[in-house]
Amino acid sequence: MALDLPFVWGVLIALAVFLYTALDGFDLGIGILFPVLGTEGNRDRAMNSIAPVWDGNETWLVLGGGGLFAAFPMAYSVLLTAFYPLVIGMLLALVFRGVAFEFRFKATTSGAKARWSVAFWAGSLVAALCQGIMLGAFIQGVAVEDGRYVGGWFDWLSPFSLLTGLAVPCGYALLGTGWLAMKGDGNLADLAFRYAVRCALGTVGFIALVSAFTPLVDPDAMNRWFGPNMILYGVAPVAVATLAVLLHGAIGKRRAGLVFLLGQGLFVACYLGFAITKYPFIIPNTVTFRTAAADESALAFLLPGALVLLPIIIGYTGYAYWVFRGKTSGKGYH
């Protein structure tokens, strides 16, 4: 049986995008939480907790974007053109955040450190906002004719995309609280659990709002969710509700690792619900992943490289997390 190369590449890119969301999501969330961490000492410890891994987490963004360009060039062209201002805003924010990360460690005065703290917070928030707005714009669809984007410069801007734009930073902040609860202790852990309650309520509330409005902006979602296969699409909301109840209990019992894992579970449930709602379209409701795929020979040529790189990336990522496991001290590896 011949290997279904477009499907394999679709799974690989979907996996890369999810791993970026799951891993870079919590360290963006820590940046978003910076203003409420109380003291510069807490901020030092929070930043030290992600210092060994934050740049490695962004490898998955490069892999997802590069894979989309190589395997689905039509989708890359259309989506990058449609979301160009958001992509540029996200990338600039990530660069700005990375600069703030390094310069804050090297600041020699409290005033300079405070300014770089603000810069780190702003870069994290803007990157998360851009990602959330792109999600909403993708759900509501883009204008395509003959494989080309024919919409306007600001077609992505709508009340719905702004709603998802706010939802993603809230969800990332929830992941950040779980991470800080695991890596911190004392006052930092207390703050993490306190804000975990608020972020969890906000995240579940945003999931409900986005789910309620999605059928209104995407008729295809309406037809799928309330059609003959309603039971299939009902798995995701049931999973979200179950995870929300378990998360509430885990926060109350101060089970830090479980708080982090259940927060990630909410992202898994939402991501899978999103994926099955949009399948098989890679450009919303217009172009399937098979239509947008590159030539089979190109996909076959690229696949061995991807299959070699993926285990290497997963291996060194896992090794970094293992080496730097445990509670974080006030002194970083810098």
Side-chain angles (χ1 to χ4, degrees):
M1 181 182 294
L3 192 63
D4 188 345
L5 290 172
F7 181 79
V8 170
W9 271 103
V11 170
L12 289 177
I13 292 170
L15 177 63
V17 172
F18 173 73
L19 287 174
Y20 169 75
T21 302
L23 297 178
D24 206 38
F26 75 78
D27 69 56
L28 285 171
I30 288 172
I32 293 167
L33 290 167
F34 243 46
V36 301
L37 294 183
T39 66
E40 287 299 324
N42 281 344
R43 295 185 184 97
D44 289 343
R45 296 185 67 189
M47 189 172 270
N48 288 335
S49 75
I50 57 172
V53 298
W54 73 273
D55 43 359
N57 292 341
E58 293 179 359
T59 303
W60 297 105
L61 179 63
V62 177
L63 185 63
L68 187 67
F69 172 75
F72 302 99
M74 181 194 299
Y76 181 89
S77 172
V78 169
L79 296 176
L80 266 289
T81 305
F83 304 148
Y84 190 74
L86 295 170
V87 172
I88 294 300
M90 178 189 71
L91 294 177
L92 288 176
L94 290 174
V95 170
F96 189 61
R97 177 177 179 267
V99 171
F101 198 108
E102 297 300 328
F103 275 75
R104 187 181 178 280
F105 275 116
K106 294 172 173 59
T108 56
T109 66
S110 58
K113 179 173 280 192
R115 287 192 292 274
W116 286 118
S117 292
V118 172
F120 183 67
W121 165 77
S124 302
L125 180 60
V126 170
L129 282 169
C130 288
Q131 291 172 20
I133 293 171
M134 276 190 279
L135 172 63
F138 186 91
I139 291 172
Q140 67 191 18
V142 297
V144 180
E145 287 183 9
D146 299 323
R148 295 182 299 108
Y149 177 66
V150 295
W153 187 255
F154 292 105
D155 279 13
W156 49 266
L157 185 60
S158 70
F160 181 75
S161 67
L162 292 176
L163 175 65
T164 56
L166 294 173
V168 167
C170 185
Y172 284 174
L174 172 62
L175 298 183
T177 60
W179 180 259
L180 289 179
M182 286 195 304
K183 303 294 285 185
D185 53 21
N187 178 250
L188 182 59
D190 291 340
L191 285 170
F193 282 112
R194 183 189 310 165
Y195 283 100
V197 175
R198 303 177 190 183
C199 293
L201 289 173
T203 300
V204 173
F206 274 123
I207 291 172
L209 284 172
V210 171
S211 299
F213 283 103
T214 292
L216 302 180
V217 301
D218 181 8
D220 188 58
M222 172 74 81
N223 296 333
R224 292 187 180 211
W225 289 4
F226 301 103
N229 297 317
M230 182 188 299
I231 294 177
L232 171 65
Y233 296 102
V235 172
V238 171
V240 167
T242 303
L243 289 166
V245 172
L246 294 174
L247 179 59
H248 174 75
I251 295 171
K253 295 177 181 177
R254 294 175 65 93
R255 300 181 65 181
L258 195 55
V259 171
F260 182 71
L261 291 176
L262 290 171
Q264 294 284 8
L266 286 175
F267 274 79
V268 172
C270 292
Y271 192 78
L272 291 177
F274 169 77
I276 62 175
T277 297
K278 288 298 180 183
Y279 183 85
F281 296 104
I282 196 168
I283 301 175
N285 306 334
T286 55
V287 179
T288 68
F289 69 91
R290 297 187 190 283
T291 303
D295 186 83
E296 290 267 338
S297 59
L299 296 178
F301 176 76
L302 293 167
L303 186 59
L307 294 179
V308 170
L309 281 175
L310 273 173
I312 293 174
I313 296 171
I314 292 171
Y316 77 65
T317 300
Y319 180 72
Y321 279 93
W322 174 255
V323 168
F324 293 98
R325 67 193 183 278
K327 299 293 182 180
T328 303
S329 68
K331 185 177 180 180
Y333 78 101
H334 284 64

